[in-house]
Amino acid sequence: MKTKLIYIDTDHIDPALASQAGMVLSSGGVVAFPTETVYGLGANACDSAAVKKIFVAKGRPADNPLIVHVADIAEVERLVYKIPEPAELVMKNFWPGPISIILKKSDRIPDIVSAGLPTVAIRMPSHPVAMAVIRASGVPVAAPSANISGRPSPTTAAHVLADLDGKIDMVVDGGTCGIGLESTVLDLSGDVPVILRPGGVTSSMLMPLIGEVKCPQAEPLADGDTPKSPGMKYRHYSPNADVYVVEKESQATSENDVSRAVLDLCKKSRRQGKRVGVLACRGIGKDAAADVCIDGGETSDEYGAGLFAALRRFDEQGADIVYAPMLFYDEFSYAIRNRLYKAARGKVIKV
Ligand code: TXA
Ligand code: MG
């Protein structure tokens, strides 16, 4: 299959281009498009055959459900059994934006979308190109991240093409995604709201609005545990390199201590003949003379926005081992650690 690539300028959306992409979606095709979090791979959520193409292209396990994207809050009523008050509040206050909510589904959602669960995740993205494409399609759009399953989520059209060129109908290039980490997944189908995946909308933003929010440790599960969100059990974001997160053991550890530790780790790995990568964090790690050094930026927002691109670059540059000092402690860094620990398969060096 030839994958068509079109460019849509976020600041001046060409309606003719948006409707080209919309028509591919409404006629059963599969289109990758940018959102404010990561690129999504979309298909008509009400068309099981179209949704199946997403699973095939990504190599996604059939028991991992998809998020349905809408361009209008009014659409949600048709997709769910009932809209409880907390859902109403979250939609009014945080949509369009980086939070997906899980509710009991209506019959309009085919089983393939919800992977057989009685619930469905729904989100209204704030990216103007995503909104224009979904609106033009006239259908609710099921869209997981537009990567091969297990690879880092794509934050540019080039990442999408690297994984899916020749496997999908169209890629809409709308530039680099601003947030860079996937949406918060908030389960509102039970008695107490639960964050199944941390993201841009944090529990302290939600609690004043909807009261108690559970935020279970989003660490990898032990064998035999049943995850509430099927996606949590799969290995994610795994680069070929062995990733080690380097963190402070306690408040007594200084940033200099972390910096020295990264330097020593790099030296040791290079002596072992390894090609070493460092993902610098607020400059820490930049002076470690790594073979591949990527600047993670000065703020957690910058770090989150660049994390997946960095993991892809380490692979491209053939790093065998990557050290990632992590020195952010604000609320967004919870979402960052969730992804980074998965990429590191839980390997954390405390200094
Ligand atoms: O930011 C995002 O959410 C991006 C963009 C494209 O919108 N999408 C995304 O989708 O990250 P995906 O499929 O890569 O991740 C969806 C996560 C998975 O972990 C999945 O298991 C979980 O949400 N999920 C979806 N529906 C669910 C449901 N009904 N119950 C529990 N978990 C669900
Ligand atoms: Mg994904």
Side-chain angles (χ1 to χ4, degrees):
M1 173 192 299
K2 173 119 182 73
T3 300
K4 182 163 187 182
L5 174 63
I6 64 170
Y7 299 85
I8 299 186
D9 181 348
T10 305
D11 297 323
H12 304 97
I13 293 191
D14 180 340
L17 289 173
S19 76
Q20 246 192 65
M23 264 161 61
V24 178
L25 287 169
S26 60
S27 59
V30 180
V31 177
F33 58 88
T35 81
E36 73 279 22
T37 57
V38 300
Y39 273 72
L41 182 60
N44 178 357
C46 298
D47 177 345
S48 298
V51 173
K52 172 100 200 204
K53 294 179 188 169
I54 294 178
F55 283 88
V56 172
K58 279 180 62 86
R60 183 175 176 107
D63 65 353
N64 195 1
L66 309 181
I67 297 171
V68 176
H69 295 63
V70 296
D72 186 353
I73 290 185
E75 180 83 25
V76 177
E77 233 168 87
R78 287 191 285 273
L79 305 176
V80 304
Y81 166 69
K82 183 170 111 200
I83 302 178
E85 205 196 327
E88 194 100 44
L89 288 168
V90 171
M91 291 191 292
K92 276 207 183 107
N93 286 273
F94 294 106
W95 279 9
I99 182 162
S100 305
I101 56 173
I102 294 177
L103 295 171
K104 295 200 175 75
K105 76 181 187 84
S106 77
D107 294 343
R108 279 193 75 200
I109 301 292
D111 278 346
I112 187 169
V113 171
S114 60
L117 295 173
T119 54
V120 63
I122 307 181
R123 147 168 142 82
M124 180 155 102
S126 64
H127 196 295
V129 173
M131 287 288 255
V133 169
I134 296 165
R135 208 166 261 143
S137 76
V139 296
V141 176
S145 48
N147 51 281
I148 296 279
S149 272
R151 298 258 297 145
S153 296
T155 52
T156 66
H159 297 159
V160 177
L161 288 169
D163 282 13
L164 298 172
D165 195 12
K167 296 181 174 171
I168 60 178
D169 296 292
M170 182 182 270
V171 177
V172 179
D173 185 346
T176 304
C177 302
I179 297 176
L181 301 182
E182 309 89 339
S183 64
T184 304
V185 176
L186 178 68
D187 186 356
L188 292 173
S189 68
D191 294 336
V192 181
V194 185
I195 291 182
L196 299 179
R197 180 176 71 185
V201 177
T202 62
S203 58
S204 72
M205 291 157 82
L206 290 165
M207 282 201 282
L209 206 64
I210 58 170
E212 189 199 348
V213 176
K214 280 197 194 145
C215 198
Q217 271 298 308
E219 306 252 321
L221 295 160
D223 279 353
D225 286 358
T226 311
K228 188 84 199 294
S229 190
M232 281 164 62
K233 74 177 175 223
Y234 292 110
R235 209 161 249 178
H236 266 90
Y237 321 125
S238 304
N240 299 326
D242 232 357
V243 178
Y244 290 83
V245 185
V246 186
E247 289 198 81
K248 289 182 178 180
E249 169 87 68
S250 73
Q251 300 236 333
T253 308
S254 72
E255 296 203 349
N256 267 340
D257 296 334
V258 178
S259 183
R260 257 195 312 274
V262 173
L263 190 69
D264 289 345
L265 289 162
C266 285
K267 274 191 192 147
K268 193 175 122 207
S269 297
R270 290 188 69 174
R271 275 200 302 272
Q272 292 167 348
K274 296 203 168 122
R275 191 165 159 76
V276 183
V278 165
L279 178 51
C281 178
R282 294 225 318 269
I284 303 291
K286 264 190 181 165
D287 55 0
D291 301 292
V292 188
C293 182
I294 298 177
D295 185 1
E298 293 301 316
T299 64
S300 62
D301 283 355
E302 284 172 15
Y303 190 97
L307 176 61
F308 289 146
L311 294 176
R312 284 175 179 264
R313 269 245 311 281
F314 286 123
D315 273 358
E316 284 159 21
Q317 307 268 324
D320 302 308
I321 192 160
V322 169
Y323 295 109
M326 175 30 66
L327 295 156
F328 295 118
Y329 298 94
D330 60 353
E331 260 222 303
F332 186 52
S333 56
Y334 187 64
I336 294 176
R337 280 196 174 74
N338 172 260
R339 295 0 179 238
L340 196 54
Y341 288 170
K342 282 190 186 179
R345 298 178 186 174
K347 297 191 295 299
V348 181
I349 297 169
K350 299 266 189 186
V351 180

